[in-house]
Amino acid sequence: MSSPSERSSSSAPSEFVFRLPRRALVIAGIAFGVGLLLFLAVWWAGRDKRFYTAEPVATGTQDSIVEALPEPMPAGEGASGMEEPRQPPPEEERPQLVETAPPPAPPVEPATTVAPPAPGTSPIALAPGASPVPIPGQTPAPAYPASAMRRGETGTVLLRVDVDTDGMPRKVSIEHRSGSRALDRAAVDAVKRWRFHPAQQNGQPVPASLIVPIDFNTR
């Protein structure tokens, strides 16, 4: 059987206690003291050199001097140094628009006359070109046939007129009929009494022909 002391020792919980040796404590104290002495020695040696203070920043150096702004330019010169815009030329130097009159229309070639005619005859006026021209006042209008007017017949007749060198209609033929014989006959009879300026070539009368329209209308 176990004794009461053994039972009490076995029933109590086991405890682990770490104890530094006294020698180690002495060594640690000595090392701390030596380190403190070294720090004080270094601090004392470098106190005059001020290694622990920041040097003042230099101010007012040449590089920090701000250059003065240039003086303002005279009022007559451009503020930016650029050329001033050119002023428009005076009124008298500006180009003026000169209106010119259109060229005159070429004059119409008047009717010419041939060499002096034979005694007792009047001079013959020639047309300005190679085609005969009716003489104003000598082109009587055709008479409207009464029978055609009663029937209400209308239309246009185209006549080919051959004119000789005297301005007389040598031949009158129908190029286009009106659809009424009475109207066609009346147109031919009227143009046979017309007079013309004969065509010319190199200042001399020549025979030529032209187309004459005759319009019949009851309105």
Side-chain angles (χ1 to χ4, degrees):
M1 294 181 63
S2 60
S3 63
S5 60
E6 292 177 357
R7 287 195 301 266
S8 61
S9 62
S10 60
S11 61
S14 60
E15 295 180 358
F16 179 79
V17 178
F18 176 77
R19 293 183 175 88
L20 290 175
R22 183 174 297 179
R23 186 178 179 180
L25 293 175
V26 173
I27 294 174
I30 294 172
F32 177 78
V34 172
L36 182 59
L37 292 176
L38 290 176
F39 172 76
L40 293 176
V42 173
W43 173 78
W44 185 265
R47 183 180 59 177
D48 296 336
K49 297 181 180 180
R50 298 182 181 181
F51 67 94
Y52 58 92
T53 57
E55 296 182 359
V57 179
T59 58
T61 59
Q62 184 177 0
D63 296 336
S64 61
I65 297 177
V66 179
E67 295 183 1
L69 295 175
E71 296 182 0
M73 301 181 67
E77 300 181 2
S80 60
M82 301 176 62
E83 295 182 358
E84 291 291 333
R86 296 182 178 178
Q87 299 295 331
E91 191 68 26
E92 61 275 9
E93 296 182 2
R94 293 182 180 178
Q96 301 294 330
L97 178 62
V98 179
E99 296 183 359
T100 57
V108 179
E109 183 179 356
T112 58
T113 58
V114 296
T121 61
S122 59
I124 301 174
L126 302 180
S131 178
V133 177
I135 299 175
Q138 299 188 32
T139 55
Y144 208 115
S147 59
M149 184 177 295
R150 286 195 301 268
R151 291 190 294 267
E153 295 177 351
T154 61
T156 301
V157 185
L158 295 182
L159 303 176
R160 176 181 291 275
V161 185
D162 296 334
V163 181
D164 58 16
T165 57
D166 295 330
M168 302 291 293
R170 185 176 56 185
K171 179 181 178 182
V172 179
S173 58
I174 299 175
E175 288 287 320
H176 177 74
R177 297 183 179 274
S178 64
S180 172
R181 290 185 178 180
L183 298 180
D184 296 343
R185 190 181 312 111
V188 172
D189 293 342
V191 174
K192 284 182 179 180
R193 300 192 303 271
W194 285 17
R195 296 295 178 265
F196 300 86
H197 293 298
Q200 66 166 315
Q201 184 176 4
N202 297 327
Q204 298 296 326
V206 293
S209 61
L210 76 159
I211 301 296
V212 176
I214 302 297
D215 187 27
F216 291 93
N217 197 333
T218 58
R219 291 182 297 176

